[in-house]
Amino acid sequence: MTDRALAVVRAGALTTVQDTGRPGHAHLGVPRSGALDPGAAAFVNRLVGNAGDAAVLETTLTGCAVRPRRAVTVAVGGAPCPVTVDGRPVAFGAPVRVAAGALLEAGRATAGVRSYLAFSGGIAVEPVLGSRSTDLLSGLGPPPLVDGAVLPLGRPVGGAVAGAVDGLAPWPAPPAELVLRIRFGPRADWFTPGALRTLTRGLHRASAAGNRIGLRLSGPPLERARGGELASEGMVLGAVQVPPDGLPVVFLADHPTTGGYPVVAVADERDLAAAAQTVPGTPVRFVAVR
């Protein structure tokens, strides 16, 4: 049994292994997957000397706790949370040396939703279609963490750094209001003019039902202009799909590659990291752009 590994002591609400994902396989029905906040994942990787595409842990709201079997450099970023080693507070957003057998814990997020833990050498689970990411929709990649699981670590390739990294900045606080820039279509004509006004002027809020597949919203439903159902068609990252209840869903990294509900608009990919960090109840505003 190798000592280049870490044991999961507390898995948290949902902790998964993520890297930059597996784009390019939609024709096989395989979503992109990957870290929902790629900037935060890249930042912690660089702090510990990893390449930007090394696999990290992505937590959801409640953090996680792990025990490395050998000394390792760790950085925690993304959604701010308390970080401790054997119960003693250590720095968030900076490299920390964790001794073999010590308990590293990332606590509950104090803002945002998803925190990221990078380990020198990266999480070295076997890649599937070129990625180590957990895909909740297709089931590809390693399963979500459970207590007692053991994850292998790779060999470090670079030294830890301190401070700003090549222009990357620490993760910003989540906005009090999420603003998503959208372009209408491809199925905006399936909705009434009033529904399009509702989308850009109505008060929507992030729902607690959201997950890695999509940000679900509560608020005024969008009225359809026509009945019936679409034939299944391709879906893209950021698609704003409207199921029969009329409440929009903004597709994130684990979204299905095809679907039969109409897509009223597509959100700008640059806004999706903030969408993934939006806590339930946050107001969401759509802004149409050309």
Side-chain angles (χ1 to χ4, degrees):
M1 176 168 38
T2 178
D3 64 351
R4 197 176 295 279
L6 56 86
V8 178
V9 176
R10 182 177 67 83
L14 175 65
T15 302
T16 59
V17 176
Q18 298 296 336
D19 55 18
T20 52
R22 47 182 71 87
H25 299 290
H27 63 293
L28 301 176
V30 176
R32 177 184 308 196
S33 198
L36 291 187
D37 188 341
F43 180 73
V44 292
N45 264 327
R46 295 299 300 275
L47 285 175
V48 301
N50 291 343
D53 60 354
V56 301
L57 296 183
E58 178 185 273
T59 70
T60 308
L61 290 174
T62 62
C64 69
V66 298
R67 195 183 301 276
R69 290 179 173 172
R70 67 181 299 164
V72 65
T73 301
V74 181
V76 182
C81 65
V83 184
T84 61
V85 175
D86 283 341
R88 297 186 299 274
V90 296
F92 173 88
V96 174
R97 193 67 174 170
V98 179
L103 180 67
L104 167 74
E105 181 155 21
R108 177 177 290 273
T110 58
V113 177
R114 294 173 171 92
S115 301
Y116 292 86
L117 287 71
F119 303 84
S120 51
I123 305 295
V125 295
E126 284 296 318
V128 178
L129 293 178
S131 171
R132 295 181 167 91
S133 289
T134 300
D135 179 350
L136 297 183
L137 186 67
S138 71
L140 294 178
L145 268 61
V146 295
D147 295 356
V150 176
L151 297 174
L153 296 175
R155 294 185 179 276
V157 295
V161 300
V165 182
D166 290 349
L168 292 176
W171 187 81
E177 177 185 62
L178 174 66
V179 177
L180 294 175
R181 291 166 287 184
I182 59 170
R183 288 179 171 82
F184 284 116
R187 300 297 180 185
D189 60 335
W190 278 57
F191 298 87
T192 66
L196 303 185
R197 289 192 296 270
T198 295
L199 183 65
T200 55
R201 301 178 190 175
L203 177 61
H204 292 89
R205 293 186 182 275
S207 166
N211 53 27
R212 284 187 46 87
I213 295 171
L215 174 68
R216 295 182 178 273
L217 303 179
S218 63
L222 304 186
E223 183 182 5
R224 293 260 294 259
R226 53 189 297 183
E229 296 301 330
L230 282 165
S232 186
E233 56 187 7
M235 295 288 139
V236 298
L237 185 68
V240 183
Q241 191 185 64
V242 185
D245 63 7
L247 299 180
V249 179
V250 182
F251 278 163
L252 301 177
D254 285 0
H255 71 85
T257 57
T258 60
Y261 299 140
V263 172
V264 66
V266 177
D268 193 309
E269 186 172 344
R270 294 171 295 178
D271 298 334
L272 297 183
Q277 294 286 12
T278 298
V279 299
T282 299
V284 179
R285 183 161 56 95
F286 293 94
V287 176
V289 298
R290 294 187 179 276

